[in-house]
Each structure stands twice: as structure tokens, then as C-alpha cells.
């Protein structure tokens, strides 16, 4: 394994090149996940990919997994700070498949619901469907996304050491740390992803190259 320091801007360009290289003459949609704990800011990287992809002729649609959490009655059944429930129950996999990923299968509609439920109010966002043009790229960000059999053409994992994760996680979210430790032990996201980026210092990411 080799680790190569890279600037944030260069990282976005490298990933955009890799995504664009997955295109084919049929103009299929591509589903790309940027996976990482909130402290790794996967949303920031996913946002940063939109413009480089546009410049490469690949329109992109942003979706956050945070808009597809299960109702609070299910998420919080075991309390507000249950790490196992956070790991197992919070993400509504079926809704994410139904509304976001399955519509981008070959021959499907291309109509994606960008968000389903507001995680703060626990109410429907009543968002409108968006149609991703042929050859477009779905950029999905979120935590604990890998190991769920989600259909993806590319998965990027933003890796943090336990020390960096604990340091960068706010005090009111420290209860989630055991869930991420379990994710590392059971899923091995750095190995499950197609691309792994170390982000202990977000200003100085590093690409991990498997040898």
C-alpha cells in the first residue's frame, strides 16, 4: 500500500477523471458514493465533484443519505444515543434504493427523489423528483454506506484514524464513535471501497493506492 499526499482540488480532478472514464457509449447513469463519518466531511468532497464532472460533460446530481433516514420512532426506539441503532437502523436502505439508486438502473426512468425525510423535523421534505440526463452521475454522500449491497459504480471512502475521528467529532456526537469502530471491524470500508482517501487533516488529504 502506498499513500500519496494530494491537494483537495487535485483530488476532485483525479476522482472526476476516474468517474468520467467509467462512461460508455450507451450513456448509462453512474452511481457514486462518498462514504465517511460526518467528521470526514463527505458532503464537501461530493459537492466539489460537481463542477469538475460538468466540465467533463457529465452532469451530476447531489443526494445526501441524511435525507433518507428512517422515522424517529424507529431510529430512536432504543434511545437517542444508541450506537448499535445508529449503525443498524438509522439509514432507510429500502427508500434509498427505491427512490435514488434503482431508478438509475439500465432501462429505468432516471427520476430520482433527492430527499425523503428531514432528519431534524422528522417530516417529509415533499421534494420534487429530479431527472438525471443519460450519462449523468449521482453523487451520494453519507456515513456507514458500504457493506449494505447498494448498487454503486464507484465507492470512495474517506478514512480517519480513531484518534482523528474522536478529535474532530463534536462532543454531542461522541456517542457515535463505537458505531464507527464497529463499521471498521465488520465492514472494513477502506478495503470495500474502490478508492480510499485519508483525511486526518482535511487540508492535506492523501490517496491510498493498493499495491
Amino acid at each position: 500500500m502506498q499513500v500519496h499526499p494530494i491537494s483537495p482540488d487535485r483530488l476532485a480532478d483525479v476522482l472526476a477523471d476516474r468517474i468520467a472514464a467509467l462512461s460508455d457509449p450507451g450513456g448509462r447513469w453512474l452511481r457514486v458514493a462518498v462514504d465517511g463519518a460526518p467528521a470526514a466531511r463527505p458532503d464537501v468532497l461530493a459537492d466539489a465533484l460537481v463542477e469538475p464532472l460538468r466540465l467533463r460533460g457529465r452532469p451530476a446530481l447531489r443526494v445526501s443519505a441524511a435525507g433518507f433516514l428512517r422515522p424517529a420512532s424507529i431510529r430512536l426506539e432504543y434511545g437517542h444515543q444508541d450506537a448499535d441503532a445508529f449503525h443498524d437502523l438509522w439509514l432507510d436502505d429500502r427508500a434509498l434504493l427505491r427512490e435514488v439508486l434503482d431508478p438509475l438502473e439500465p432501462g429505468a426512468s432516471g427520476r430520482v427523489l433527492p430527499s425523503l425525510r428531514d432528519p431534524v423535523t422528522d417530516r417529509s421534505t415533499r421534494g420534487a423528483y429530479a431527472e438525471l440526463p443519460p450519462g449523468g452521475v449521482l453523487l451520494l454522500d453519507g456515513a456507514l454506506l458500504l457493506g449494505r449491497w447498494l448498487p454503486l459504480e464507484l465507492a470512495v471512502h474517506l478514512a480517519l484514524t480513531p484518534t482523528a475521528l474522536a478529535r474532530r467529532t463534536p462532543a454531542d456526537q461522541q456517542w457515535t464513535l463505537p458505531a464507527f469502530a464497529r463499521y471498521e471491524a465488520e465492514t472494513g470500508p477502506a478495503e470495500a471501497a474502490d478508492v480510499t482517501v485519508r483525511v486526518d487533516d482535511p487540508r492535506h488529504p492523501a490517496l491510498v493506492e493498493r499495491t
Side-chain angles (χ1 to χ4, degrees):
M1 181 178 67
Q2 296 181 339
V3 180
H4 304 283
I6 190 170
S7 72
D9 288 344
R10 178 60 182 153
L11 174 62
D13 280 333
V14 167
L15 291 176
D17 283 341
R18 177 153 181 176
I19 294 166
L22 295 173
S23 62
D24 59 35
R28 63 169 176 162
W29 297 291
L30 298 178
R31 296 161 294 190
V32 177
V34 182
D35 169 73
R41 300 305 305 271
D43 56 326
V44 172
L45 178 56
D47 287 343
L49 290 172
V50 173
E51 181 62 11
L53 285 170
R54 185 191 69 80
L55 294 175
R56 289 160 176 78
R58 305 302 299 270
L61 175 64
R62 284 283 290 109
V63 172
S64 176
F68 290 86
L69 300 185
R70 289 191 170 96
S73 59
I74 297 175
R75 298 198 316 269
L76 308 180
E77 181 180 359
Y78 300 99
H80 284 71
Q81 297 187 351
D82 188 284
D84 285 330
F86 178 69
H87 183 283
D88 295 336
L89 301 177
W90 278 43
L91 182 65
D92 192 338
D93 307 63
R94 291 185 179 180
L96 192 60
L97 283 166
R98 181 181 69 247
E99 303 291 358
V100 179
L101 299 174
D102 286 349
L104 300 179
E105 288 285 344
S109 68
R111 295 180 70 246
V112 172
L113 186 65
S115 65
L116 178 65
R117 181 174 290 104
D118 186 315
V120 177
T121 65
D122 198 40
R123 295 179 180 177
S124 170
T125 59
R126 301 184 182 276
Y129 282 88
E131 189 162 340
L132 189 60
V137 180
L138 172 79
L139 295 170
L140 172 69
D141 76 89
L144 309 172
L145 294 178
L146 305 182
R148 296 176 179 270
W149 302 102
L150 299 177
L152 301 166
E153 279 65 55
L154 188 74
V156 180
H157 174 63
L158 303 184
L160 290 163
T161 63
T163 300
L165 177 60
R167 182 178 66 250
R168 293 173 53 191
T169 298
D172 64 346
Q173 297 297 312
Q174 290 279 314
W175 64 271
T176 65
L177 295 179
F180 290 109
R182 181 180 162 196
Y183 185 52
E184 288 290 333
E186 296 182 4
T187 301
E191 291 73 35
D194 300 294
V195 180
T196 297
V197 184
R198 289 186 180 176
V199 291
D200 287 348
D201 183 341
R203 300 166 299 178
H204 304 288
L207 266 175
V208 177
E209 181 181 337
R210 301 183 181 99
T211 55

